Amino acid sequence: MQSNILNSIGIGDIDLGIWVILSVFSLILIIILIVICIKNNKKIKALSSRIDDLTSGKGGESLEEELDQIIEDNKNLLKECSKNSQDIDNIFGRLKSVYQKMGIVRYDAYEQLGGEMSAVVVLLDEEDNGVLINNVYSTEGGYVYTREIENGKCKHELGDEEKEALAKALK
């Protein structure tokens, strides 16, 4: 069978059986493609439904609004965390100069008195700077002496009880 249309495009010499086979094959291929499109359309509808569920949220709130709120909350938390870190650094800096170490020794300044009414108190900061307070009790009255401590040492000669209290504070 000769066709003017097929001859004009240069394929008029092809056998009719081959045309039938090509047509059937094309028809089967078209049916397969239609089935695949229907399956994909169902998947797209299911995904679209899931996206709608995600974006509708509770109370009409969308997912985008919730994400925006979470991002804003995160920014606020980061600001607060930064401020807290600065406050903590400030507190630690101030704590270095606060008296943190203490040594106390009670003793009898005079043998005839008894009761260990005299006492030495040493107060030191983190860098072992501070004060030594010595309260000497006697029958005539009490006397208080102070000495400055720098880097765990005193410029003046210390008595035995004062050395003991300083050693306790330095431990």
Side-chain angles (χ1 to χ4, degrees), residues 1 14 22 34 38 42 50 57 79 93 95 97 123 140 142 145 163:
M1 170 173 159
I14 298 178
L22 286 175
I34 289 173
I38 290 171
K42 285 182 180 180
R50 288 182 65 194
K79 286 178 188 176
L95 277 177
S97 62
L123 301 171
E140 289 89 34
Y145 301 97
K163 288 178 185 175

Side-chain angles (χ1 to χ4, degrees), residues 124 128-132 146-159 162-163 166:
L124 300 175
D128 296 332
N129 298 320
V131 64
L132 179 146
T146 60
R147 300 186 194 252
E148 188 175 352
I149 307 295
E150 291 182 11
N151 297 318
K153 295 186 169 90
C154 183
K155 295 177 185 176
H156 305 285
E157 184 68 29
L158 298 178
E162 293 172 328
K163 288 178 185 175
L166 181 58

Side-chain angles (χ1 to χ4, degrees), residues 92-149:
F92 277 122
R94 290 172 43 202
L95 277 177
K96 288 182 179 183
S97 62
V98 172
Y99 293 138
Q100 302 175 18
K101 304 172 189 177
M102 181 175 66
I104 299 174
V105 174
R106 293 175 53 119
Y107 67 98
D108 290 323
Y110 303 102
E111 289 182 21
Q112 70 270 17
L113 286 178
E116 296 182 338
M117 301 298 286
S118 299
V120 178
V121 177
V122 176
L123 301 171
L124 300 175
D125 64 12
E126 185 176 294
E127 296 172 353
D128 296 332
N129 298 320
V131 64
L132 179 146
I133 303 169
N134 191 351
N135 176 41
V136 179
Y137 177 78
S138 72
T139 55
E140 289 89 34
Y143 303 95
V144 176
Y145 301 97
T146 60
R147 300 186 194 252
E148 188 175 352
I149 307 295

